[in-house]
Amino acid sequence: MSLHWPWALVALLAFPLLLAVRWWTRRRRRRAAVQLPSVALIRAALPGRTSWKRRVPLWLFAAGLLVTGTAAARPEASVVVPDSAATIILAMDVSGSMCSTDVSPNRLTAAQKAAREFIEDHDGNQKIGLVAFSGIAGLIVPPTTDTKQLLDAIDGLRTSRGTAIGLAILASIDAIAEINPDVPPTGVEVPDDGTATGEYEPDTIVVLTDGRNTDGVDPMTAAAAAEARRLRVYTIGFGTAVPSPMVCSSDQISGGTQFRGGPGGPNGQFGGQFGGRGRFQDMDEGTLTKVAETTGGKYFKAEDAESLGDVLRDLPSQVTLQRKKTELTSWFALVGAVLVLLAVGLSQWWNRTRIPVARPPAQRPGAPGP
């Protein structure tokens, strides 16, 4: 918890001041005490009150003053809250190895299915952008709430040679920079001495890949750029280490996907054909883990379609939660007021004057009734 106006805590000095006034008042009363022949008579005349009944209102009143004085300093707390305004950039690997059949029917088909479910779960309630990458990377769909546009783009993904994870991260940064003025694009120098501090931006990058970087910028260089801009990158390693045939349908290997600019080059195209020989998984989990840790994200491993779907379904609960400062002044003021009112009420109730009730004289046995 932090205080917006810490200097206002001087209001808490009212509590020791009141204690001093109370001590001085009691001392004067002792000096002015009158000696009486019988103390027992005085005690009998006073209303019976236990010591705790005298102390409870005092301490409740003191606690109320302390809480109210703290409210004057405008306390703030950093709490985790869902942020529906956060944008998610989904960067999908469409390299040739996505034709591997270790995940049925192949990795690309399984990834497309999981991505569609991920988009449909949001149902237009959050902006999602789509970046595709192989040897180059580019923005397929700018951040949008148009579910149909995103689903059509997912269905139209095509494979090509190479894997440019670093370029995919840079393209995602530029996509976020277009809608978030607090995020500089990749062409702008951002001072970064490795000690970047402050809250993360609400926008997040999710990179789904089955391999290691073979083209373009080193992923750690791109991760440093994301870290300097306080953007978190979540990475997903997809596939197994089992050598499997690479089989893609004809509509998955043609080069017809157009890009809207990006680090891969303006209007770049994917293309290429792949054979059916077995191939080992060549995933660089170490780099994917470092990229996630450097940017404040997390690395996930998905070896089949079901686990990939689970990862993508659980992601919104992590990437859309943001720490925000919430002012607690009203709550402190309310609690302080309740404590003060409770103290005053108990003091008035326990110190009220009790009027003795007159009882009728006891009748003698045999006396006539009224």
Side-chain angles (χ1 to χ4, degrees), residues 67-261:
V67 175
T68 305
T70 305
R74 294 180 61 183
E76 297 176 331
S78 180
V79 296
V80 178
V81 296
D83 190 349
S84 59
T87 295
I88 299 176
I89 301 296
L90 179 60
M92 292 188 61
D93 188 345
V94 291
S95 60
S97 58
M98 291 293 285
C99 290
S100 178
T101 55
D102 61 335
V103 180
S104 179
N106 59 35
R107 294 175 185 171
L108 180 59
T109 301
Q112 287 174 311
K113 181 176 182 296
R116 282 196 297 268
E117 293 174 351
F118 173 75
I119 292 169
E120 289 171 346
D121 286 344
H122 286 79
D123 195 24
N125 294 325
Q126 189 171 36
K127 285 186 177 181
I128 299 176
L130 180 64
V131 168
F133 66 96
S134 57
I136 57 175
L139 183 64
I140 301 294
V141 180
T144 180
T145 57
D146 189 339
T147 301
K148 184 179 184 303
Q149 183 183 6
L150 290 165
L151 294 178
D152 289 344
I154 292 291
D155 292 336
L157 292 178
R158 303 291 184 267
T159 58
S160 185
R161 291 184 174 87
T163 305
I165 298 174
L167 288 178
I169 295 174
L170 295 181
S172 301
I173 293 175
D174 285 338
I176 292 173
E178 291 187 7
I179 62 171
N180 186 345
D182 294 329
V183 177
T186 55
V188 177
E189 288 290 335
V190 178
D192 181 16
D193 56 2
T195 59
T197 58
E199 297 295 332
Y200 287 101
E201 293 294 332
D203 310 308
T204 309
I205 300 169
V206 179
V207 178
L208 191 161
T209 181
D210 71 338
R212 66 175 58 243
N213 194 75
T214 62
D215 298 277
V217 178
D218 182 84
M220 292 308 301
T221 301
E227 179 193 21
R229 291 162 175 79
R230 306 304 291 158
L231 292 173
R232 293 174 297 173
V233 180
Y234 289 80
T235 54
I236 304 173
F238 182 44
T240 70
V242 178
S244 307
M246 296 173 59
V247 180
C248 269
S249 61
S250 58
D251 60 347
Q252 290 180 320
I253 57 177
S254 61
T257 302
Q258 297 288 333
F259 285 150
R260 198 181 67 85

